[in-house]
Amino acid sequence: MEIEEKLSVLNYKTDKGFEHITVTPDICEVCPDYFCTFACPAKCYTVMEGKLNFKYEDCVECGTCLFACSHGSVKWNNVKGGHGVKYKYG
Amino acid sequence: MSEFDAIIVGAGPAGSSAAIKLASSGLTTLLVEKADPPGSKNVSGGIMWGNELGGVLPDWEKDAPLERYVISKGTGLLTSDSLISVDFRSRKFESRKTGYSVLRAKFDQYLANKAKSKGATLVTGVTVDGLALKDGKVAGVIQEGDEITADTVILAEGVNPRVAISSGLRPEIGDKDVAIGVKQVVKLSEATINERFNIRGNSGFAGEYVLGFLKNGVKAGGFLYTNKETISVGAVINVGTLRADNETHSFEIMDQFVNHPFISPYLEGGKMEEYSAHLVCEGGIGSVPKIYGDGYLIAGDAAGFSYSNGLIIQGINYAITSGIAAADTVIEAKSKSNFSSGMLRGYEDRLQGKYVLKDLKKFRGIEEVTWSNLAHKALPDIAEETLFNLFYEEGIPKRHLMEIVLSATKKSGVKKTDMILEAYRTMRRM
Ligand SMILES: Cc1cc2nc3c(=O)[nH]c(=O)nc-3n(C[C@H](O)[C@H](O)[C@H](O)COP(=O)(O)OP(=O)(O)OC[C@H]3O[C@@H](n4cnc5c(N)ncnc54)[C@H](O)[C@@H]3O)c2cc1C
Ligand code: SF4
Ligand code: SF4
């Protein structure tokens, strides 16, 4: 089962007005390792045509990217107002 | 005058246990949870070990949403081709229950509602942004720019405690403090689960595995737990080795585990109902910050209270125990109207007297054993080679077991001296 399919089973209340995680494109552009793309369990970080693409909508708020990125690109906040992932089982 | 005697940030097992205790003792308590409903962002394997909840809810075994009690504890080493395992089953666990499988969305909601029914004010879907300070002391919390005041704040935010970190009360988390947990919940009928795991009624299986088949030095452990009508299966991935490899995706490790020839039959035909990921607190005593100060206490994962030795993951029980100890400390502080660091220090003393700090200190360095080369690579390979040679009949004269072990060790490429050294370290820390 592909990760995309697994994520499609999840419920999210996406916060359209607040991206709780942001990256700094200038830093990612010269990234030597792209470790975020291997570490993030929800495949929010992908490289397309040599450029990092980040998608906060699929994030399950695990916190991994916050320290996985050792180049200071990731700004990480808690989601607000009950937004984000909603597990049925947990 | 503060608006509340205590504000608790986070309604996980640590926060809700603290709230139940505080509210039951008549203190005005505010329990703030960012998820709505509570529990809907939380993930465990999860087995709740021990009888910690009895400290605040004497009847928990009767009314908590428990899935199955553990009658069978499995521990295994997985290589690409083999599974070497011990399955300890005992009727003794029938009369003396050691652990129950739980699903956190339901379980945490139960605990939070208990806190509410005891008189705590529960607000959900609200994220605490920071701490309110007064004369250098913690005096409450800040949410959307508003200040809510309390004599004491208990930070029970879990493994990635943004409030404690941004307030400078503990350092940022790093590769050594945590592991990446990934999990799937697979639906199957109760009868199928009973049959596959050879269990009956509400008894259950809890298994942990070393994933010795991973390539390029990546290290991870797997877990497989039975619930009533679902199976919880997942992996706990070491960050340092994943980083060193920089080729394996965390989510692929999950697939490799569930597709293993001796794990997949348990899950066959089941419906994957949920995928989740969460950090696991793994740093041992080295990750524990100062857990008290003027006007605040830190409990549960936020304080680094969790224990794992590769055979078992424990965090829920530590969270509950530390939550209750934090509450007891606040109750005492209230009776003396003194919320200073000197008074709240009693929290650490309380935990010293309990297994929480004792275990972490006694098993200092256990995280090195959990993630050692011996456990993750040498042991699975050597065990496989030894047992294969022991049981494979090819019509040639039999060899002594020791001879087989030695040649298997040689084949695994581990130096004998390294092996002895690591085995010694392991024994000392276990
Ligand atoms: C994959 C995995 C498997 C595990 N397996 C087991 C197991 O089998 N047995 C076991 O005992 N332990 C297990 N653990 C560990 C266990 O889950 C944790 O130790 C336990 O959840 C810690 O409880 P806690 O109350 O400290 O934190 P949490 O359960 O994380 O609760 C923290 C709460 O605080 C809330 N919160 C955080 N920040 C804010 C904020 N700013 N404002 C408002 N609310 C906030 C969160 O939403 C959350 O509800 C496992 C963990 C993982 C990830
Ligand atoms: S987020 Fe960090 S690890 Fe990922 S590409 Fe950017 S700099 Fe590199
Ligand atoms: S918090 Fe976790 S799921 Fe979200 S983007 Fe970061 S690594 Fe991915």
Side-chain angles (χ1 to χ4, degrees), chain A residues 6 41 83 86-89, chain B residues 36 40 184 255 273 275:
Chain A
K6 291 182 189 179
H83 284 96
K86 263 190 218 290
Y87 292 128
K88 184 165 66 163
Y89 294 102
Chain B
D36 179 29
S40 60
Q184 288 177 186
D255 288 330
E273 294 228 319
Y275 172 80

Side-chain angles (χ1 to χ4, degrees), chain B residues 294-306:
Chain B
D294 288 320
Y296 77 91
L297 297 164
I298 311 180
D301 271 6
F305 296 150
S306 161

Side-chain angles (χ1 to χ4, degrees), chain A residues 1-3 5-7 9-10 13 32-43 60-64 66-70 76-90, chain B residues 34 36 40-44 103-105 125 127 129 144 160 162 172-175 178 180 182-185 230 239 242-243 246-251 254-255 272-279:
Chain A
M1 199 172 185
E2 293 295 322
I3 181 74
E5 201 184 330
K6 291 182 189 179
L7 294 170
V9 182
L10 290 178
K13 184 177 163 200
D33 52 46
Y34 294 112
F35 182 52
C36 56
T37 65
F38 298 101
C40 172
K43 210 181 179 181
V60 295
E61 301 152 45
C62 71
T64 302
L66 164 71
F67 63 94
C69 173
S70 53
W76 206 102
N77 289 292
N78 280 317
V79 292
K80 293 188 187 302
H83 284 96
V85 72
K86 263 190 218 290
Y87 292 128
K88 184 165 66 163
Y89 294 102
Chain B
K34 72 170 146 65
D36 179 29
S40 60
K41 289 184 184 296
N42 297 346
V43 182
S44 283
L103 290 162
R104 294 286 304 277
T127 303
D129 300 318
E144 300 280 333
N160 181 15
R162 300 321 304 160
E172 271 290 357
I173 46 173
D175 289 10
V178 290
I180 306 169
V182 284
K183 177 183 172 184
Q184 288 177 186
V185 176
T230 54
V239 185
L242 192 75
R243 187 189 292 282
N246 214 40
E247 277 183 19
T248 308
H249 291 101
S250 54
F251 48 83
M254 179 79 228
D255 288 330
M272 209 289 296
E273 294 228 319
E274 187 168 275
Y275 172 80
S276 58
H278 198 282
L279 293 176

